[in-house]
Amino acid sequence: MNPTVTIQDMLPKGMDAGQVLTRLKERVLKANRGRTAMDRGAAVREAFPELAARTAELAREAMQGLLVLPGTGPELYFVGNPPRWTFNPVNDNEYTFHLNRMHHLKTLAEAYSVTGRLDYAKKALEELENWIDTVPCPDIQDETGAYIPEHFEGLTPWRALEAGIRGYRTWPLIIELLVDTPYFTEALLEKILRSIYTHCLVLFHVSPMLWPKADHNHYLMENLGLMSFACLFPEMKDSHLFFTHSQRELDRCMAAQCTPCGGQIEGCPSYHNGCVFWFAMRVVFARKFHVDVPEAYIRQLDKMFVHSVYATRACGGNFPWGDSHIAEKETMSLAAVSCYMACGDAGYLKTALYFYPVSTILEDVRDNLWRIPDPGNLKSVIEQAEKTPVKPNLPLVAWQKDLDQVYIRTGWERDAVSLMTGCRTPVQNLHAHIDAGGFDLTAYGDTLVTDPGIYTYKDSEDRKHFKSAFWHNCLTVNNKNMWEYISSWAYGPQKEGGIISVSKEPGLVSVVSCHHNYAPAAATRILALIDDRMLVVIDQVRGLKSGDSVQIHFHLDRTLVKLTSRGLCTEAAGKPNVELLYNPAMETRLETGKISTANDVWHDSTLVHLNYQVEAEAKEFLHCSLLIPLRTGQALSCEEFRQEKREEGFFMVIPAAGGDAPHRLLWNGKTLVKI
């Protein structure tokens, strides 16, 4: 049951749609500093002609019903003309979600702004009206008046998240840019306003029931949409109530989702950078509509940007932990652009341009150009930032204790060694992968031993592989995942695990993690970066029983691999490589894997599976693997690598650089020490 609200019920007494339309035009003009849609398009065209041309190109494709969506692959796909909003021809829920967010209608509106072509405006408003007419909102309440949150989750164009995204990202810009066209009539405004009010009812009443703890990025976007709609239509019934609610809940989102160190609690760099953007948009909207934002909120936003820097590999791109893209989407570049939009500080862009080419920055700019008041000034800022990028002046080791994640690098140069590891179980939410104790390693400007990324959200074998422990740099027992993988968005229960310690001394940085997902066995992993050039991986499993087996998995971002007497080495021509040394008693199996840089995009890789059958009398497994990154053309190491269990602990001899005496390390069960 949905409330039956007429346009007269939604407006103050004596006001009609015509008056709202007049006020809307005045409000849009004032909010955009007196510039019309044509003025704004001309400014974009002058400052960023290539981005304007790209927008027009995307609009020409959208006019034909051709889009690229999740599940379609990287090629254009015909979605219908008008789109078949509820049809899911590729059997991927994200296809339906993204189509109903209507990014392509925003693009059509922007293309109208830069070209003046009324057919773009007409098409955008026709499809918007078609959606309103053909995709009715499910019942919000039942016969008793109780709200029905399950109607607004799962596969539906009215999922609360989609309502929020339409509210902050697409509909307001479509309305702003097209309100002065002959197709934006009073009759259409009535339809739009009734639909927006329905959106607001969902976001105000249902969203808090879905996310009572305010601890998910969905709730952030949903309240951002509520805020945006309330600012755009203050005449709307209950608009002040909606706005006040959105402000309180956005503050609560910041408190619930952002850790004291600045990380977003889900622990996925892509979603962290997305959240930086969404939190920043609140500030952008507040400035546009002259609304205050707490100073503490803005300070925390700056802390989030610092975490974005740490979550960037030395060679650029995200550490792809959990559901994270590696490059070109939701990276630190997006965080920098959004923080610049919120605060006007060019320093964010200067930091991003130290890691990313200007083309990456401009792609994030293109999607937000019509939110930026002065494109010409932005162009000048970017040009200056490109000439004077800023290398971060931050510590080289960061332990995000609330996320159970550690970031380590040997320097802030692009060819530095960079390492990320994490161990948080139970997981925060299902964007996490099954990878407790896993890691991601880059060196000399390239990726070497990596996390596989997302590839897809579709419930499929691919999703299962990309989330499983066997495709991560992890340890498993008895060839089983650390916990049950049920489906794309369902896991079995998990046991406790976390980062135990992080220690630093000259020439040695080590991280100790432990988890109990193989109870009664406990799996402890020690990652030690030695001499800023090689990674020691020590695995200890206690509480095993006769017949158990232990596997260690490495995911190499290379396809050419050569087995050696001491392990193996990758053999990519013209690139850095990595040598992997390990105990010869480990059985070796190689398998072709996949690494994904973006949705529906992957390239071949090599999975290394080491297996050890536990001896009858053994109750403990101890093993050391050594990863030595090799610069392009560098020869293999030829020094001795030994490991043995002694009375005082686990002893290792690690080759040093340049003929120096080898390192002797001892793991005593609590601490890794040099001896």
Side-chain angles (χ1 to χ4, degrees):
M1 181 178 68
N2 288 329
T4 302
V5 180
T6 67
I7 192 71
Q8 289 76 25
D9 294 329
M10 294 173 52
L11 300 176
K13 187 175 181 180
M15 184 178 292
D16 58 24
Q19 292 170 297
V20 174
L21 185 55
T22 299
R23 290 183 175 212
L24 175 63
K25 291 179 179 181
E26 293 171 351
R27 185 177 307 113
V28 167
L29 199 61
K30 181 179 178 181
N32 290 288
R33 304 181 182 182
R35 286 172 292 192
T36 66
M38 293 295 99
D39 295 333
R40 294 164 71 186
V44 168
R45 195 169 59 245
E46 180 179 355
F48 299 102
E50 292 182 0
L51 300 187
R54 175 59 177 156
T55 297
E57 178 186 2
L58 291 170
R60 288 192 293 272
E61 294 166 355
M63 289 286 285
Q64 303 172 63
L66 297 174
L67 305 176
V68 175
L69 295 171
T72 67
E75 303 301 322
L76 289 168
Y77 187 86
F78 182 65
V79 300
N81 202 354
R84 292 169 288 182
W85 302 106
T86 60
F87 188 47
N88 186 2
V90 297
N91 192 31
D92 188 330
N93 291 1
E94 293 296 317
Y95 171 96
T96 300
F97 295 147
H98 280 250
L99 179 62
N100 284 272
R101 293 171 188 177
M102 305 184 192
H103 289 290
H104 68 291
L105 301 192
K106 169 178 167 287
T107 299
L108 285 167
E110 292 166 346
Y112 159 73
S113 175
V114 294
T115 67
R117 283 183 51 175
L118 281 168
D119 56 335
Y120 290 155
K122 184 172 185 286
K123 177 69 169 174
L125 292 177
E126 283 178 348
E127 289 199 5
L128 179 60
E129 185 174 18
N130 175 264
W131 186 91
I132 293 171
D133 290 341
T134 60
V135 188
C137 179
D139 286 344
I140 300 176
Q141 296 169 279
D142 63 19
E143 296 80 2
T144 69
Y147 290 97
I148 316 173
E150 57 268 27
H151 281 184
F152 300 92
E153 52 186 353
L155 182 56
T156 169
W158 276 93
R159 187 170 66 151
L161 176 60
E162 273 49 71
I165 291 175
R166 289 191 290 269
Y168 86 84
R169 192 145 195 172
T170 55
W171 282 28
L173 272 173
I174 295 166
I175 292 167
E176 281 191 23
L177 293 173
L178 304 184
V179 68
D180 279 325
T181 65
Y183 313 111
F184 203 101
T185 63
E186 290 183 27
L188 179 59
L189 175 60
E190 285 198 20
K191 281 189 177 184
I192 291 173
L193 201 52
R194 283 199 301 270
S195 185
I196 286 177
Y197 185 70
T198 303
H199 277 70
C200 289
L201 290 176
V202 172
L203 298 171
F204 179 76
H205 291 291
V206 176
S207 289
M209 301 175 71
L210 297 173
W211 311 110
K213 296 180 181 179
D215 60 350
H216 199 285
N217 68 79
H218 286 199
Y219 195 55
L220 167 57
M221 285 184 272
E222 288 159 24
N223 280 287
L224 200 57
L226 186 62
M227 174 190 181
S228 179
F229 277 146
C231 287
L232 191 59
F233 288 104
E235 300 88 0
M236 186 170 52
K237 177 185 177 182
D238 297 325
S239 184
H240 180 71
L241 182 65
F242 297 151
F243 176 79
T244 302
H245 172 87
S246 71
Q247 299 305 285
R248 182 181 66 249
E249 295 304 286
L250 286 168
D251 285 339
R252 205 159 71 91
C253 283
M254 180 63 90
Q257 295 185 34
C258 187
T259 70
C261 293
Q264 201 268 348
I265 57 169
E266 295 173 43
C268 302
S270 275
Y271 279 92
H272 172 89
N273 291 320
C275 286
V276 176
F277 172 80
W278 300 317
F279 279 120
M281 284 304 100
R282 178 200 182 175
V283 184
V284 172
F285 295 158
R287 286 188 170 185
K288 184 172 183 174
F289 293 101
H290 307 289
V291 177
D292 291 333
V293 178
E295 282 298 321
Y297 181 101
I298 295 175
R299 288 195 300 270
Q300 195 72 342
L301 182 64
D302 186 66
K303 284 186 179 181
M304 294 188 77
F305 180 75
V306 171
H307 182 84
S308 294
V309 176
Y310 275 118
T312 302
R313 289 164 159 173
C315 58
N318 291 327
F319 283 107
W321 200 257
D323 279 342
S324 287
H325 301 285
I326 291 175
E328 304 304 322
K329 183 179 181 182
E330 292 169 346
T331 65
M332 188 250 289
S333 167
L334 176 64
V337 169
S338 55
C339 285
Y340 169 79
M341 291 168 62
C343 305
D345 185 346
Y348 296 113
L349 297 176
K350 289 183 177 182
T351 300
L353 283 164
Y354 180 78
F355 291 94
Y356 291 98
V358 71
S359 59
T360 299
I361 306 295
L362 291 177
E363 185 58 33
D364 286 320
V365 164
R366 190 197 66 77
D367 190 45
N368 294 287
L369 262 176
W370 279 262
R371 303 189 196 280
I372 296 169
D374 190 344
N377 181 64
L378 173 63
K379 180 183 181 182
S380 299
V381 169
I382 290 176
E383 288 175 345
Q384 182 59 35
E386 189 178 12
K387 295 174 185 175
T388 57
V390 174
K391 180 168 72 172
N393 183 22
L394 295 168
L396 300 179
V397 179
W399 181 5
Q400 271 278 6
K401 293 185 179 181
D402 300 279
L403 299 179
D404 279 302
Q405 292 179 352
V406 180
Y407 296 90
I408 300 171
R409 63 189 73 214
T410 59
W412 287 103
E413 294 75 20
R414 288 184 60 86
D415 66 346
V417 176
S418 63
L419 172 73
M420 180 203 171
T421 185
C423 182
R424 179 172 62 171
T425 67
V427 300
Q428 168 66 27
N429 64 38
L430 294 167
H431 283 301
H433 291 185
I434 306 175
D435 55 5
F439 65 89
D440 183 279
L441 176 68
T442 77
Y444 311 137
D446 209 347
T447 58
L448 294 174
V449 187
T450 73
D451 193 285
I454 302 178
Y455 182 58
T456 184
Y457 290 121
K458 181 180 177 179
D459 198 358
S460 63
E461 281 299 303
D462 280 321
R463 177 68 164 163
K464 182 177 181 179
H465 285 313
F466 273 89
K467 294 189 83 172
S468 76
F470 310 108
W471 277 37
H472 290 77
N473 300 298
C474 288
L475 174 146
T476 59
V477 175
N478 296 329
N479 285 296
K480 293 182 179 179
N481 267 317
M482 300 170 192
W483 52 84
E484 184 185 7
Y485 177 92
I486 299 173
S487 68
S488 178
W489 299 109
Y491 284 154
Q494 303 120 55
K495 294 183 169 63
E496 292 297 319
I499 302 290
I500 305 300
S501 66
V502 177
S503 60
K504 296 179 288 182
E505 59 180 280
L508 175 64
V509 181
S510 61
V511 181
V512 180
S513 64
C514 181
H515 70 88
H516 298 268
N517 287 288
Y518 293 110
T524 299
R525 167 164 280 186
I526 305 91
L527 296 174
L529 188 62
I530 297 180
D531 285 348
D532 284 353
R533 73 177 189 93
M534 55 187 170
L535 180 65
V536 172
V537 183
I538 304 167
D539 285 303
Q540 179 178 40
V541 186
R542 291 172 168 154
L544 295 168
K545 61 183 183 299
S546 177
D548 285 343
S549 62
V550 176
Q551 298 76 42
I552 304 173
H553 311 278
F554 296 101
H555 200 151
L556 309 181
D557 194 5
R558 297 290 184 269
T559 54
L560 296 177
V561 176
K562 177 183 178 181
L563 293 174
T564 69
S565 60
R566 299 175 303 157
L568 56 85
C569 184
T570 63
E571 295 188 310
K575 288 185 174 184
N577 284 290
V578 62
E579 186 177 6
L580 170 60
L581 309 181
Y582 50 88
N583 190 330
M586 299 289 283
E587 175 191 348
T588 306
R589 181 172 64 87
L590 303 183
E591 177 187 358
T592 299
K594 295 178 182 178
I595 291 172
S596 171
T597 55
N599 281 356
D600 301 322
V601 177
W602 58 269
H603 61 263
D604 286 336
S605 58
T606 301
L607 295 163
V608 180
H609 307 292
L610 307 180
N611 182 70
Y612 184 79
Q613 193 70 37
V614 177
E615 297 172 358
E617 66 278 6
K619 298 293 178 66
E620 179 182 65
F621 169 82
L622 269 167
H623 180 267
C624 177
S625 307
L626 180 62
L627 290 156
I628 306 175
L630 304 173
R631 293 184 182 274
T632 303
Q634 182 180 344
L636 299 183
S637 164
C638 60
E639 298 294 329
E640 182 182 19
F641 168 56
R642 292 191 291 114
Q643 53 186 291
E644 61 180 290
K645 188 174 181 181
R646 296 181 175 179
E647 184 176 345
E648 64 270 31
F650 188 51
F651 178 75
M652 293 147 283
V653 178
I654 309 296
D660 292 342
H663 299 284
R664 289 174 168 81
L665 304 177
L666 181 71
W667 167 248
N668 60 21
K670 293 183 179 179
T671 309
L672 182 67
V673 294
K674 288 183 177 180
I675 58 173

